[in-house]
């Protein structure tokens, strides 16, 4: 997404002298992706962003191993059954639900400010299921609340400060997350067929300046996790411009695409990442052919695992399966899946579906993390047959 933005004070010409009121030079930093060949931003710091005074390794063993989906079957999970105790923040409090070589998917119920954090291994996408607060970044602050997606580019230093407890679904990619390329022109403008556009995007509007010395920043990188101590607070950027920055998009600003007959999931796509996509299912008018079947047809995910996070309304295709707000369903490659028994007949003649869900399709199998194992509904796989493996 090449949507240019300018915040704060910057010099007229890039890579030229830019002096403080006292006469010193601001420290220019280029934040760019794909080796100077793609989107970037120029940030102007009051202090050197390179000045570290300490570094120490942080143990990551507590995340536990990932478990293959064996035996292969559809599964369901209830994030509402996950528990935390005491003060929990949106970074160190994350519990891993799923993962593969391309993305880690976690969940957190945060009630306290997080440490300063930077993911240097890939972009992050946060979906705020409930609550509200502020995501503070080196680019400025973003006010966020229920239904907001937050896109955090690789190596953006940030912290999450809840105003009210926040339930957050977290995607940590091994590459970059952005709008689908088919929504964008060659110059990065959203095209007319895109279900959202630049007017729907919220970015930082003013610098966020914080003083401090010997400030710790937790950094995720390809080899693990390191805690750096910086000589000065990293929130010292007086101005920046460019096309690489954190931004917010509210799920209700996604405009559903409908048709006379049932439309396939790609019409709901909102983001793409390395070997995965994210889709938004919104309340919408449904199919208007006189013989239309509004709920999805049975389908086999021959190339992908489908993960659905149910966040609002009533999901017609899953009635009778125990799925509720905060639940997740995982339908893996190798299994045909579709509406629950009775859902097709019940949907006939419907004109509107009141449902909100976030879907993640991955093109490599998802394995199960400790949070998935702790919140699984063991009977979900058998709900189409109405009997389990021990019932003959």
């Amino acid at each position: 997404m090449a949507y240019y933005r300018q915040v704060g004070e910057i010099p007229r010409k890039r890579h030229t002298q830019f002096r403080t009121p006292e006469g010193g030079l601001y420290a220019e930093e280029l934040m760019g992706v794909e080796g100077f060949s793609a989107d970037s931003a120029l940030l102007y710091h009051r202090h050197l962003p390179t000045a570290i005074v300490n570094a120490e390794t942080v143990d990551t063993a507590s995340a536990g191993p990932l478990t293959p989906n064996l035996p292969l079957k559809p599964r369901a999970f209830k994030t509402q059954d996950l528990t935390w105790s005491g003060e929990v923040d949106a970074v160190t409090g994350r519990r891993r639900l799923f993962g593969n070589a391309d993305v880690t998917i976690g969940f957190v119920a945060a009630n306290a400010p997080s440490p300063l954090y930077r993911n240097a291994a890939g972009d992050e996408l946060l979906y705020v299921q409930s609550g509200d607060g502020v995501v503070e970044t080196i680019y400025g602050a973003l006010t966020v609340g229920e239904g907001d997606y937050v896109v955090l580019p690789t190596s953006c230093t940030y912290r999450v400060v809840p105003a009210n407890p926040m339930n957050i679904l977290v995607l940590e990619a091994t590459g970059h997350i952005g709008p689908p390329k088919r929504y964008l022109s060659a110059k990065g403008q959203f095209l007319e067929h895109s279900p959202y556009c630049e007017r729907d995007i919220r970015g930082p509007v003013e610098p966020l300046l914080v003083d401090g010395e010997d400030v710790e920043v937790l950094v995720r990188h390809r080899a693990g996790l390191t805690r750096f101590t910086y000589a000065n607070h990293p929130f010292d950027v007086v101005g920046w411009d460019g096309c690489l920055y954190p931004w917010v998009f509210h799920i209700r600003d996604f405009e559903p695409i409908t048709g006379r007959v049932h439309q396939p999931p790609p019409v709901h796509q909102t983001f793409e990442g390395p070997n995965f996509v994210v889709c938004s299912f919104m309340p919408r008018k449904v199919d208007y052919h006189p013989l239309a079947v509004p709920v999805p047809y049975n389908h086999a995910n021959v190339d992908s695992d489908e993960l659905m996070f149910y966040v609002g309304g009533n999901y017609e295709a899953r009635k009778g399966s125990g799925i509720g707000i905060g639940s997740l369903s995982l339908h893996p490659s190798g299994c045909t899946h579709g509406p629950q028994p009775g859902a097709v007949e019940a949907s006939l003649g419907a004109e509107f579906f009141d449902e909100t869900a976030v879907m993640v399709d991955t093109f490599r199998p998802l394995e199960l993390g400790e949070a998935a194992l702790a919140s699984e509904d063991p009977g979900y796989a058998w709900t189409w047959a109405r009997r389990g493996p021990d019932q003959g």
Side-chain angles (χ1 to χ4, degrees), residues 178-254:
K181 290 182 176 62
R182 70 178 185 276
Y183 292 170
L184 304 175
S185 74
K187 295 182 179 179
Q189 181 180 6
F190 281 94
L191 298 170
E192 281 295 298
H193 68 269
S194 171
Y196 64 103
C197 73
E198 290 86 353
R199 298 183 189 184
D200 300 316
I201 289 169
R202 309 185 333 252
V205 296
E206 61 183 3
L208 176 63
L209 297 174
V210 180
D211 293 319
E213 297 181 351
D214 294 338
V215 178
E216 293 183 346
V217 178
L218 200 59
V219 178
R220 169 81 52 193
H221 48 92
R222 294 170 187 171
L225 200 61
T226 296
R227 181 179 292 108
F228 288 103
T229 302
Y230 281 84
N232 300 99
H233 201 292
F235 293 170
D236 69 341
V237 174
V238 298
W240 60 271
D241 77 332
C243 298
L244 183 70
Y245 52 86
W247 51 281
V248 181
F249 170 68
H250 198 285
I251 195 170
R252 282 199 298 268
D253 286 325
F254 186 91

Side-chain angles (χ1 to χ4, degrees), residues 79-380:
T79 62
Q80 57 270 40
D81 289 349
L82 294 172
T83 59
W84 286 259
S85 61
E87 291 193 346
V88 180
D89 71 75
V91 171
T92 66
R94 297 173 186 177
R95 296 179 64 180
R96 186 164 59 177
L97 287 163
F98 314 99
N100 61 23
D102 305 307
V103 62
T104 295
I105 302 170
F107 191 80
V108 62
N111 58 19
S114 75
L116 292 170
Y117 176 68
R118 180 165 71 246
N119 189 333
D123 290 1
E124 294 190 350
L125 178 67
L126 314 183
Y127 178 79
V128 182
Q129 181 200 355
S130 62
D132 58 272
V134 177
V135 180
E136 299 177 347
T137 81
I138 55 172
Y139 296 83
L142 299 164
T143 300
V144 301
E146 180 178 337
D148 275 331
Y149 289 107
V150 187
V151 180
L152 294 157
T154 307
S155 282
C156 170
T157 302
Y158 74 91
R159 72 174 189 147
V160 180
V161 183
N164 294 290
M166 301 172 69
N167 285 354
I168 305 173
L169 185 75
V170 182
L171 276 66
E172 302 172 54
T174 57
H176 303 304
I177 299 171
K181 290 182 176 62
R182 70 178 185 276
Y183 292 170
L184 304 175
S185 74
K187 295 182 179 179
Q189 181 180 6
F190 281 94
L191 298 170
E192 281 295 298
H193 68 269
S194 171
Y196 64 103
C197 73
E198 290 86 353
R199 298 183 189 184
D200 300 316
I201 289 169
R202 309 185 333 252
V205 296
E206 61 183 3
L208 176 63
L209 297 174
V210 180
D211 293 319
E213 297 181 351
D214 294 338
V215 178
E216 293 183 346
V217 178
L218 200 59
V219 178
R220 169 81 52 193
H221 48 92
R222 294 170 187 171
L225 200 61
T226 296
R227 181 179 292 108
F228 288 103
T229 302
Y230 281 84
N232 300 99
H233 201 292
F235 293 170
D236 69 341
V237 174
V238 298
W240 60 271
D241 77 332
C243 298
L244 183 70
Y245 52 86
W247 51 281
V248 181
F249 170 68
H250 198 285
I251 195 170
R252 282 199 298 268
D253 286 325
F254 186 91
E255 300 300 332
I257 299 170
T258 60
R260 283 206 341 136
V261 296
H262 192 79
Q263 298 298 294
V267 303
H268 306 286
Q269 188 179 351
T270 313
F271 303 99
E272 63 183 12
N275 287 317
F276 70 88
V277 301
V278 179
C279 300
S280 302
F281 289 80
M282 294 301 299
R284 62 196 181 278
K285 290 184 176 182
V286 291
D287 322 326
Y288 48 89
H289 187 284
L291 297 179
V293 179
V295 295
Y297 34 77
N298 297 309
H299 52 289
N301 293 352
V302 298
D303 287 320
S304 62
D305 282 11
E306 176 192 285
L307 179 69
M308 191 79 78
F309 181 41
Y310 303 89
V311 297
N314 301 295
Y315 212 79
E316 299 294 329
R318 291 286 162 262
K319 283 187 174 179
S321 64
I323 293 291
I325 304 304
S327 295
L328 297 130
S329 63
L330 175 61
H331 298 133
S333 171
C335 292
T336 299
H337 71 280
Q340 298 296 138
V344 173
E345 285 285 352
S347 76
L348 300 182
E351 296 182 354
F352 185 84
F353 280 173
D354 178 20
E355 57 190 27
T356 307
V358 174
M359 185 177 81
V360 183
D361 272 10
T362 65
F363 296 100
R364 288 196 237 207
L366 283 172
E367 297 188 326
L368 311 179
E370 64 83 19
L373 298 175
S375 60
E376 185 172 7
D377 174 2
Y380 177 75

